[in-house]
Amino acid sequence: MNPERKARLAYRAATLFTHLPWPVLRGFAHALAWAWIRGNARESRVTRRNLELAYPELDGVQRARMHRDVLRSTALQAVETLWLWTRPAASNLRDNLKERHGEALYDDALASGKGVIVAAPHFGNWELLNQWLASRGQIAIVYKAPEDPAGDAFLQIVRGGHNVQQVRAEGPAVRQLFKVLKDGGATGILPDQQPKAGDGVFVPFFGMPALTMTLVNRLAERTGATVLYGWCERSGPDMQFALHLEAADAAVADPDLHVAAAALNAGIERIARRDPAQYQWTYKRYTLRPDDQEPNPYATARHPH
């Protein structure tokens, strides 16, 4: 079966699933989180380790509570995303985006003709943010393409709607993004993904050195584009979200890569601390270390990678 056909079948299955009543879907998410914890799944192990690294001041009971809340929120975010992908963006924005903060910041930055970079941390539901950005005009979204061609084809179906240009996070992406910004356009970047060794710098993130991308810095410094943080925060139990757009610290465009990356991380950390459960702690953010001899903090005898 070719990838496009697989992707279409997956989309139909997702559509059938997300047309179940919302209380059923929410119950499914809670059951999935329980299964992750009970089975010591990868999501549970990585989250537990990240919370140990990022919140060393918490005691065992506090961290266990946060661990449970993160996994419930993560499972819920997955179900929410399928819901949003299988419904028209216009209705999602009308029915589910209950609060909007900072819209004028984005509109004014776009109208300036200097280009806009939206740094969107893995917080809340970034897919709803993508839909809002597309409702404002053309947007180039940087993404890491799945290894499975069917997975990539699926993303083209669910994200590749009106006004959205999906840009693979590969070598030619930088040139494409420079052109978009030089033409006064907008791009969305998930800034808290660990880059490849050599493609970033180590700066603090929740008190731990983390290899951090310099792409936002390079784009901002060379084009003069406005950098905004953007996120859609869950504000209620029934698909209710609040949009936030805020100006980034001017230091994210500093010529010193370490200064710029540290400023970027500080903004991401501030957003994540608003509600730690809504941040993506299931991601191995600290795998690469400044000292090659320093062990991978996620490795164990049973799970070495």
Side-chain angles (χ1 to χ4, degrees):
M1 187 182 300
N2 65 51
E4 288 73 20
R5 180 168 174 74
K6 286 183 181 178
R8 287 193 297 270
L9 289 174
Y11 182 77
R12 290 173 190 167
T15 301
L16 288 173
F17 173 68
T18 57
H19 277 75
L20 292 169
W22 178 248
V24 174
L25 294 173
R26 187 173 56 213
F28 173 85
H30 288 170
L32 178 58
W34 177 86
W36 284 340
I37 296 171
R38 183 76 173 178
N40 196 31
R42 178 190 180 281
E43 291 80 2
S44 181
R45 298 193 309 273
V46 173
T47 296
R48 184 180 299 109
R49 184 58 176 142
N50 275 331
L51 296 182
E52 290 170 351
L53 296 170
Y55 291 92
E57 72 278 10
L58 297 183
D59 62 33
V61 173
Q62 292 171 318
R63 195 175 294 120
R65 185 183 303 116
M66 185 181 288
H67 175 259
R68 179 203 63 202
D69 291 345
V70 167
L71 291 177
R72 281 187 174 181
S73 180
T74 300
L76 193 58
Q77 194 272 343
V79 173
E80 291 166 348
T81 294
L82 288 177
W83 171 290
L84 294 167
W85 277 346
T86 54
R87 285 167 172 76
S91 65
N92 293 336
L93 297 175
R94 182 188 66 238
D95 299 336
N96 304 114
L97 202 56
K98 301 299 185 182
E99 300 175 37
R100 303 179 183 217
H101 307 279
E103 285 185 311
L105 275 177
Y106 181 81
D107 292 341
D108 290 348
L110 196 59
S112 74
K114 297 179 180 179
V116 188
I117 302 167
V118 178
H122 286 86
F123 180 86
N125 197 297
W126 47 95
E127 296 299 339
L128 185 58
L129 174 65
N130 287 344
Q131 293 182 353
W132 181 85
L133 291 169
S135 76
R136 275 352 214 205
Q138 293 282 335
I139 181 77
I141 296 173
V142 182
Y143 80 110
K144 184 178 180 180
E147 293 182 6
D148 182 1
D152 194 30
F154 181 79
L155 290 181
Q156 299 305 316
I157 293 173
V158 298
R159 286 180 179 164
H162 181 61
N163 280 343
V164 177
Q165 175 190 0
Q166 297 193 65
V167 179
R168 287 172 172 259
E170 299 170 353
V174 177
R175 292 193 297 273
Q176 294 180 57
L177 297 179
F178 271 122
K179 184 178 188 310
V180 167
L181 294 172
K182 284 293 189 182
D183 291 342
T187 181
I189 299 173
L190 295 165
D192 47 357
Q193 292 180 317
Q194 181 174 251
K196 296 178 182 178
D199 287 347
V201 294
F202 282 96
V203 291
F205 184 59
F206 280 85
M208 282 279 293
L211 186 61
T212 301
M213 68 165 59
T214 57
L215 176 60
V216 172
N217 158 261
R218 287 182 286 146
L219 292 173
E221 183 193 4
R222 297 179 192 177
T223 67
T226 299
V227 182
L228 302 175
Y229 290 111
W231 70 95
C232 282
E233 187 169 357
R234 189 180 302 113
S235 58
D238 300 316
M239 291 292 294
Q240 298 153 328
F241 297 91
L243 171 73
H244 294 268
L245 289 140
E246 293 183 0
D249 188 327
V252 300
D254 195 280
D256 186 316
L257 295 180
H258 287 83
V259 171
L264 181 68
N265 274 0
I268 297 168
E269 181 175 333
R270 177 180 53 79
I271 294 166
R273 287 186 182 276
R274 291 173 61 92
D275 182 359
Q278 293 197 48
Y279 190 66
Q280 191 188 43
W281 291 112
T282 56
Y283 178 69
K284 293 183 178 182
R285 184 68 180 85
Y286 303 107
T287 303
L288 298 176
R289 310 310 307 139
D291 181 353
D292 291 340
Q293 303 304 313
E294 187 178 346
N296 178 345
Y298 303 99
T300 64
R302 186 173 182 182
H303 303 284
H305 301 293

